[in-house]
Amino acid sequence: MTISEKSAYLKGLMDGLNLNTESDEGKMIAAIVDLLGDVTKKLTAVEDTTIAISDELDEIEEDLDAIEDFIMDDEDDYDDYEEDDDDYDFDDDEDEFDEEGFDFGDEDSTIYEVECACGEIIDFDEETLEKGSMTCPNCGETLEFSLEDDE
């Protein structure tokens, strides 16, 4: 028997006993039965909410598991490439690393990095490299660059 059924049963018993609700005892029993009815309604609402939250959490858990599987598959693929460098041509990858800087796949977007004597690490682009020099924003020292390849 559920709590709702028990509450309804007690209300039926009270009605069946033909209690005098004008007497002190009758008022007390009627108030207790009404209170039990209210508590039952609230408890049922809490149970329904808990079930709904539990269902939502189960769905979220399934979604997170799917995301985790997707990410782990990608990492496994990357690990396979690391283990078998000879089998994978890194030059065909969109994001290439070269000796001069990081290439975002577009010749115009190569970013270079230099460390000033003051310790400041400065990023700059191809245009700044072609100028041949730049000023450190931290200490003001002029940094000069050469376009010659030192291989």
Side-chain angles (χ1 to χ4, degrees):
M1 199 187 279
T2 66
I3 194 158
S4 297
E5 293 170 338
K6 288 179 182 180
S7 177
Y9 176 74
L10 287 176
K11 181 149 177 69
L13 279 178
M14 185 189 82
D15 291 341
L17 290 175
N18 292 325
L19 289 176
N20 181 5
T21 55
E22 299 300 319
S23 69
D24 291 339
E25 296 85 13
K27 287 179 186 178
M28 176 69 102
I29 293 174
I32 291 172
V33 170
D34 285 342
L35 175 65
L36 286 174
D38 293 343
V39 170
T40 299
K41 288 177 187 175
K42 292 283 186 183
L43 184 59
T44 302
V46 169
E47 286 175 342
D48 292 344
T49 303
T50 303
I51 290 169
I53 290 172
S54 178
D55 292 344
E56 289 292 323
L57 286 174
D58 289 344
E59 288 180 28
I60 290 171
E61 181 180 18
E62 289 172 9
D63 291 344
L64 286 175
D65 287 342
I67 292 170
E68 181 182 22
D69 290 345
F70 179 77
I71 290 172
M72 295 305 282
D73 286 345
D74 283 352
E75 286 179 5
D76 290 344
D77 291 345
Y78 179 74
D79 290 342
D80 291 343
Y81 295 135
E82 274 186 350
E83 293 169 7
D84 273 339
D85 286 359
D86 299 334
D87 295 341
Y88 183 72
D89 184 9
F90 286 99
D91 292 335
D92 291 339
D93 199 7
E94 281 185 31
D95 298 330
E96 295 179 9
F97 289 97
D98 57 22
E99 292 177 11
E100 298 159 352
F102 185 79
D103 188 358
F104 291 97
D106 182 3
E107 294 284 330
D108 297 332
S109 65
T110 302
I111 304 297
Y112 300 91
E113 185 177 275
V114 67
E115 183 175 354
C116 181
C118 70
E120 180 78 12
I121 296 176
I122 305 164
D123 294 333
F124 58 96
D125 60 7
E126 188 83 27
E127 185 178 324
T128 304
L129 180 65
E130 289 173 2
K131 288 180 184 176
S133 67
M134 70 179 289
T135 304
C136 175
N138 189 38
C139 68
E141 183 176 338
T142 300
L143 306 172
E144 295 183 7
F145 313 113
S146 173
L147 293 175
E148 296 176 13
D149 193 13
D150 293 334
E151 289 185 48

